[in-house]
Amino acid sequence: MAVKRKTLREQIKDALVSRITSGRIRPGERLVEMRIAEEFGTSQAPVREALRELEAIGFVTTRAHRGTIVRDFSEAGLREVYVVRGALEEAATRLATPRLAKDTRRLQASVDAMRAAAQAGDLDAMCTHSVAFHRQIVEASGNALLLSMWTSLQIETRTIITLLAPGLDLLAIAETHQPLVDAIAMGDVEQACTLARTHQEWFEELPTVADAQADALQD
């Protein structure tokens, strides 16, 4: 399965996320559009779009007379998103399972691609294939509003943030998707729905980068 090339907006957004979560950019620091644009050799338009996405997920805030300011990363509410996402994906799975049960080859290909990415230690590919897997299910629900709500959660950005947390077993994460494929292939709607919800609950309990940063400050 081919991995799509990231747009300049996505590249800028991912770079800023990495810097914020690693502590290279600290809470309270100002992000200047012109400087970022110069760094990436682009106009300010894709930078502005990237900053809007970061504001939507709580990483930055725009203040009068100060511009875009980095928020405390612990305020991003990553765990709360997984609660909402679990509910949305459970609903999507209920609608999608009868349709996908006829052919799960694309879902299986995404899981296989996740395994390969995990073995290669490729976080970007792991994230891309994970998002593609879940998007297939949500799109197969045939519910446009559900898809719009799911997309609004900025799934790709939040997934890469989760995968950045220290000590994660990427292969184990890839394997957590297989039981859901198997349940869908059997047409077992209730089991598939349970797995869709508990899959997100499992991620809700994972340590985050913010947890690691807090622990480091206490040591």
Side-chain angles (χ1 to χ4, degrees), residues 39-154:
E39 177 186 349
F40 284 87
T42 184
S43 67
Q44 289 178 236
V47 177
R48 193 171 299 118
E49 292 171 0
L51 292 178
R52 284 193 192 120
E53 288 195 26
L54 292 181
E55 185 167 22
I57 60 174
F59 271 62
V60 302
T61 186
T62 301
R63 298 177 183 172
H65 311 300
R66 289 196 65 191
T68 303
I69 307 299
V70 176
R71 294 178 61 188
D72 184 341
F73 180 63
S74 64
E75 295 177 6
L78 191 62
R79 289 193 173 96
E80 292 181 0
V81 170
Y82 279 113
V83 174
V84 176
R85 181 178 171 182
L88 292 176
E89 294 200 11
E90 180 181 4
T93 301
R94 184 171 299 280
L95 296 170
T97 296
R99 302 176 182 183
L100 292 174
K102 302 172 185 177
D103 186 355
T104 57
R105 285 177 294 180
R106 286 184 62 212
L107 286 175
Q108 187 62 58
S110 291
V111 175
D112 293 341
M114 275 187 270
R115 289 190 180 111
Q119 291 170 341
D122 189 337
L123 282 177
D124 283 340
M126 178 79 176
C127 173
T128 298
H129 293 303
S130 175
V131 173
F133 174 89
H134 293 284
R135 179 176 288 277
Q136 286 176 50
I137 295 173
V138 178
E139 288 180 343
S141 74
N143 188 309
L145 178 58
L146 201 160
L147 175 60
S148 176
M149 293 173 66
W150 184 85
T151 302
S152 73
L153 295 177
Q154 302 286 344

Side-chain angles (χ1 to χ4, degrees), residues 114-116 118-119 126 169-176:
M114 275 187 270
R115 289 190 180 111
Q119 291 170 341
M126 178 79 176
D169 184 337
L170 294 182
L171 188 55
I173 290 175
E175 293 294 351
T176 63

